[in-house]
Amino acid sequence: MKIQKETGEKFGEIVVKEGYCTAENIIRALVNQLNAPFLNISGFKNNPELVRKIPYTLAVNAGLIPLEQIGNIVLMAITGPVNAEMYNELE
């Protein structure tokens, strides 16, 4: 907490940097708290055509990347919870 107060860094970033756990440990803990699924995206291939369909600023601000399109549904990986405003923009 002292380091967090001094640097302004997030708690998860500090414990990873200090070697107490891995980034994946932090992510798994967060998705567990949010009751959200954890998805290892390493098996997905980059789809430039699908990426171009998502506005750049939305992708950056939301921390998301489209992974696959099935019909009119786009499966996306996202770095954090989606708020109502972002959800409306994604639709």
Side-chain angles (χ1 to χ4, degrees):
M1 297 290 221
K2 180 181 176 187
I3 295 171
Q4 188 177 19
K5 198 171 192 177
E6 291 172 356
T7 66
E9 290 177 286
K10 294 179 181 174
F11 178 77
E13 294 170 345
I14 295 167
V15 295
V16 169
K17 186 171 74 174
E18 296 291 322
Y20 293 110
C21 64
T22 66
E24 185 174 326
N25 294 140
I26 296 293
I27 293 167
R28 286 186 181 273
L30 290 172
V31 298
N32 187 44
Q33 285 179 345
L34 296 169
N35 197 27
F38 174 81
L39 178 64
N40 183 339
I41 64 169
S42 64
F44 288 89
K45 293 185 179 167
N46 184 21
N47 182 337
E49 183 180 319
L50 190 54
V51 169
R52 282 191 289 276
K53 291 181 179 182
I54 307 297
Y56 176 79
T57 53
L58 175 61
V60 171
N61 292 339
L64 67 83
I65 185 165
L67 301 173
E68 184 176 10
Q69 184 166 3
I70 304 164
N72 64 348
I73 305 291
V74 177
L75 174 65
M76 291 187 248
I78 189 162
T79 59
V82 177
N83 63 36
E85 182 181 317
M86 190 182 306
Y87 180 80
N88 291 333
E89 197 169 342
L90 287 170
E91 280 193 317

